[in-house]
Amino acid sequence: MSFWDAVLFGIPYGMGFTLFGLLIALLPRFFSYFKLQGVVPTRFNRQRREVCLVPSDSDDPVFLLWEDIQAWVIQAQGATQYGVQRWSEPLPESERAQPSDTLKRLSRKVREKQQARPGRLPHEVFAEVYGFNLRAGM
């Protein structure tokens, strides 16, 4: 077998292995594209101080004021070249704000809806409860 015979014999196998490698490398990206295709990100409007949420079971966006949104904050600690830094130090119990009656009522509704249909994302349940609350004029 000459050199050119070996090259011509190896080209189809090389192309096949290359295509197989590309398929294996791109398959996770292909599935994540379709998985995230329907996800609409949360949008923040700084001028009007609004937040736009789109629940996954609805096509209608829900607009809420920043002041009406509750957020989860994660405490973190990191080490850099400048030393250890701390973020989000918790306030003492005496300095924490107490929730209003409206917030307690809405939180109770959120817990009820979450227990009725577990597995939903928390921001979807909040958007549904707060959106209904805004439409009802409460």
Side-chain angles (χ1 to χ4, degrees):
M1 180 181 270
S2 71
F3 173 75
W4 292 112
D5 290 336
V7 168
L8 293 176
F9 179 76
I11 286 177
Y13 288 105
M15 289 176 52
F17 284 125
T18 302
L19 290 176
F20 182 73
L22 282 173
L23 178 69
I24 296 298
L26 296 178
L27 198 61
R29 182 174 286 256
F30 176 75
F31 283 119
S32 66
Y33 172 76
F34 288 110
K35 183 178 178 184
L36 297 175
Q37 190 174 12
V39 175
V40 178
T42 303
R43 303 288 299 196
F44 295 91
N45 187 326
R46 293 190 306 184
Q47 291 176 340
R48 293 190 304 223
R49 297 180 57 86
E50 288 181 339
V51 179
C52 176
L53 303 169
V54 180
S56 63
D57 57 348
S58 173
D59 292 333
D60 299 327
V62 177
F63 294 92
L64 303 169
L65 295 175
W66 284 5
E67 291 81 15
D68 295 336
I69 298 290
Q70 297 295 318
W72 290 277
V73 178
I74 297 172
Q75 182 176 350
Q77 179 176 340
T80 65
Q81 61 187 4
Y82 304 109
V84 176
Q85 299 175 350
R86 295 179 185 266
W87 298 280
S88 301
E89 288 292 326
L91 287 174
E93 191 76 35
S94 61
E95 294 182 24
R96 295 182 187 170
Q98 299 303 314
S100 66
D101 293 334
T102 305
L103 179 61
K104 290 178 184 177
R105 179 177 48 81
L106 290 173
S107 296
R108 190 171 45 252
K109 285 183 182 180
V110 167
R111 280 192 296 275
E112 291 170 1
K113 288 192 175 286
Q114 187 69 30
Q115 288 174 351
R117 286 183 51 201
R120 292 177 64 193
L121 295 173
H123 71 273
E124 295 173 355
V125 180
F126 273 94
E128 181 181 333
V129 169
Y130 278 78
F132 176 77
N133 189 44
L134 289 176
R135 286 191 299 271
M138 298 179 151

